[in-house]
């Protein structure tokens, strides 16, 4: 569903938590393919091996604080664990003034009242940035705040060098950002609605005319997504609560 708006940035929060090893492999292959086409991706995971398979850069968060930014080829998994636990030199792999022609997203000094204390990162075109930390470290809170799901006490977000004020999901979606939550059954689906309605839930504005939604256009969009993403469903009108996985 996040892909129906052809996002400029894709955020995934623990996307493999409930997937089989085969489905994990398929997902990572699709993410690498999307990144190769120029889509920047923020990928939250506590599974280190996945970051080595998919990430170009890894941002380590501990207790709501940005600890380090490293490349998978420059650090071992053991050293990364020590960074996360606070048992290593936190200057290892600190961000070093990289510059890109165009940033897709830049978050600066993100803070919330309870958890986050000044986290900054960038994601450039075609780059996968892994955010890693133990449960409770602030990973989910960070991306929820950037997407506008929880208030920030300080910080700034820019997309394509344009400041985004008064962060809110609708505004972020309009700027090409899609958020796939950690608990997709609870936060990513409307279980009383059909497969079709769930697939196009974020696309109503582009599929309607003066507030009237075209069932022909929504059905065509949903069929296209089912085909492109190889979604296994008995039919578009099937209730999503009846699906497995």
């Amino acid at each position: 569903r996040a892909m129906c708006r052809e996002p400029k940035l894709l955020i995934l929060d623990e996307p493999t938590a409930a997937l089989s090893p085969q489905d994990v492999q398929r997902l990572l292959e699709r993410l690498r393919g999307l990144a190769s086409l120029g889509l920047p991706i923020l990928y939250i995971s506590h599974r280190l091996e996945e970051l080595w398979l998919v990430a170009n850069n890894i941002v380590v968060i501990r207790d709501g604080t940005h600890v380090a930014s490293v490349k998978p080829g420059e650090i071992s998994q053991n050293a990364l664990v020590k960074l996360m636990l606070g048992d290593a030199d936190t200057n290892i792999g600190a961000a070093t003034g990289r510059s890109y022609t165009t940033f897709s997203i830049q978050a600066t000094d993100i803070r919330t009242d309870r958890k986050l204390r000044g986290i900054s990162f960038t994601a450039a075109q075609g780059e996968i940035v892994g955010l890693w930390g133990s449960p409770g470290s602030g990973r989910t809170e960070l991306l929820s705040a950037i997407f506008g799901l929880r208030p920030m006490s300080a910080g700034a977000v820019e997309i394509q060098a344009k400041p985004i004020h008064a962060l809110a999901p609708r505004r972020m979606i309009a700027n090409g950002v899609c958020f796939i939550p950690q608990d997709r059954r609870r936060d990513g689906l409307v279980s009383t609605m059909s497969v079709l309605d769930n697939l196009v839930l974020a696309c109503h504005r582009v599929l309607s005319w003066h507030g009237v939604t075209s069932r022909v256009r929504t059905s065509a969009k949903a069929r296209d997504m089912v085909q492109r993403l190889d979604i296994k469903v008995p039919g578009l009108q099937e209730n999503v609560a009846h699906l497995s996985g």
Side-chain angles (χ1 to χ4, degrees):
R1 192 171 71 200
M3 296 304 298
C4 83
R5 295 188 63 93
E6 299 181 353
K8 298 175 184 176
L9 170 72
L10 182 62
I11 300 172
L12 298 99
D13 190 352
E14 298 285 356
T16 62
L19 298 184
S20 67
Q22 294 80 7
D23 288 337
V24 169
Q25 186 62 34
R26 290 178 61 197
L27 174 64
L28 297 183
E29 290 174 358
R30 289 183 181 274
L31 293 180
R32 287 192 291 264
L34 290 171
S36 70
L37 295 175
L39 178 67
I41 298 171
L42 295 179
Y43 185 96
I44 295 179
S45 181
H46 67 279
R47 298 177 177 178
L48 287 183
E49 66 277 9
E50 293 177 7
L51 299 184
W52 260 260
L53 290 172
V54 76
N56 302 109
N57 291 280
I58 300 173
V59 177
V60 182
I61 299 171
R62 184 179 67 246
D63 296 329
T65 303
H66 175 207
V67 175
S69 297
V70 298
K71 294 183 180 296
E74 297 175 350
I75 190 171
S76 68
Q77 291 191 17
N78 286 339
L80 193 65
V81 170
K82 289 181 179 180
L83 281 175
M84 185 273 291
L85 296 177
D87 189 25
D89 181 0
T90 57
N91 288 322
I92 295 177
T96 56
R98 297 172 300 156
S99 62
Y100 297 90
T101 303
T102 302
F103 281 117
S104 288
I105 186 168
Q106 180 170 340
T108 305
D109 196 31
I110 304 299
R111 298 174 182 269
T112 60
D113 290 339
R114 294 187 177 184
K115 178 67 70 172
L116 306 177
R117 296 178 295 210
I119 296 178
S120 301
F121 69 87
T122 59
Q125 182 172 338
E127 182 178 52
I128 297 176
V129 178
L131 304 181
W132 187 75
S134 61
S137 64
R139 306 164 305 170
T140 298
E141 289 81 0
L142 171 61
L143 296 188
S144 294
I146 290 172
F147 195 64
L149 292 172
R150 63 179 66 212
M152 298 192 313
S153 58
V157 176
E158 296 183 3
I159 296 176
Q160 299 296 85
K162 180 182 73 173
I164 307 299
H165 303 293
L167 297 177
R170 178 175 293 182
R171 183 168 284 115
M172 296 302 283
I173 290 172
N175 281 277
V177 178
C178 292
F179 180 47
I180 300 176
Q182 179 176 354
D183 190 336
R184 285 165 294 286
R185 183 176 294 275
R186 185 189 68 188
D187 301 324
L189 292 173
V190 181
S191 60
T192 58
M193 295 171 63
S194 67
V195 171
L196 184 152
D197 289 331
N198 271 274
L199 284 173
V200 302
L201 194 59
C203 306
H204 278 296
R205 286 198 170 190
V206 297
L207 296 173
S208 61
W209 179 256
H210 294 297
V212 178
T213 301
S214 167
R215 296 302 292 182
V216 173
R217 295 180 66 190
T218 55
S219 295
K221 185 68 173 179
R223 285 194 298 270
D224 177 63
M225 293 178 64
V226 167
Q227 182 177 3
R228 284 196 298 143
L229 301 177
D230 194 23
I231 302 173
K232 305 300 183 185
V233 293
L236 292 178
Q237 298 303 325
E238 184 76 16
N239 190 295
V240 293
H242 299 159
L243 304 180
S244 61

